[in-house]
Amino acid sequence: MAESATMDSRTQLKKQAGEFAAGFVESGMVVGLGTGSTAIHAVRKIGERIRTGELRNIIGIATSIQTHKEAVQLGIPLMQDTLPRDVDITIDGADEVDPEWNVIKGGGGALLREKIVAQVSRRFAIVVDEDKISDCLGTRFYLPIEVLRFGWESQKRFVESLGARVEIRKNSDGTDYATDSGNMIFQAYFGPMQDPAALSAKLGARAGIIEHGLFAGLATDLVVAGAKGVQHQHKERR
């Protein structure tokens, strides 16, 4: 019963954070629609605001097939996946956030599309419950790394050489997980990361690593829901 109550409480916090950030959206905007259990509440709130007529001339870009399906059901107009326009604001969740607003994302497997959309967004709002806040990335969550299937064992050895313990993400039936782009996901356990930027550069320079879940210097807004309510901070992108 206590565990169930805790889960209900966390769900409520996620809902509060997501719905708060949905308030950043204004009529006429191009909006990045995030993926995951917190961002989905923002997507649903945006859909509600469109249905009531509060928001007009909104066009969304979904960061995953899952979110795309949800947006269609909610009646949110969507632009082509080619991203013909830049994005006014993207609202997305995170698995871990450090004091500098460096973020680990990708627990839901959508890190590649999420980062593409984040990088073309004028504002990138991260929405989390207070349990996702950390003094140092890697303390609370592993680093997801999306890799090409060709040569994946060589990439595993490379990531291990950087100090990580690597697991291959699996589906519930034991088969290898596949991202929306058909790639594999490594779950890389680095432990506390003293220099996320340096690690990001090493992973980004490696052929065969499609993308990784370190989002550094992208967040412009941080929305945290906790016992004291919803806290919002904003800063200009570096």
Side-chain angles (χ1 to χ4, degrees), residues 173-192:
D173 63 1
T175 58
D176 287 349
Y177 175 89
T179 68
D180 288 348
S181 300
N183 300 312
M184 300 174 66
I185 290 281
F186 290 167
Q187 298 180 170
Y189 296 83
F190 282 96

Side-chain angles (χ1 to χ4, degrees), residues 147-158 160 184 186:
V147 298
L148 197 68
R149 290 187 181 277
F150 178 82
W152 71 265
E153 289 194 52
S154 68
Q155 310 313 332
K156 182 173 181 288
R157 293 193 299 272
F158 171 73
E160 288 172 338
M184 300 174 66
F186 290 167

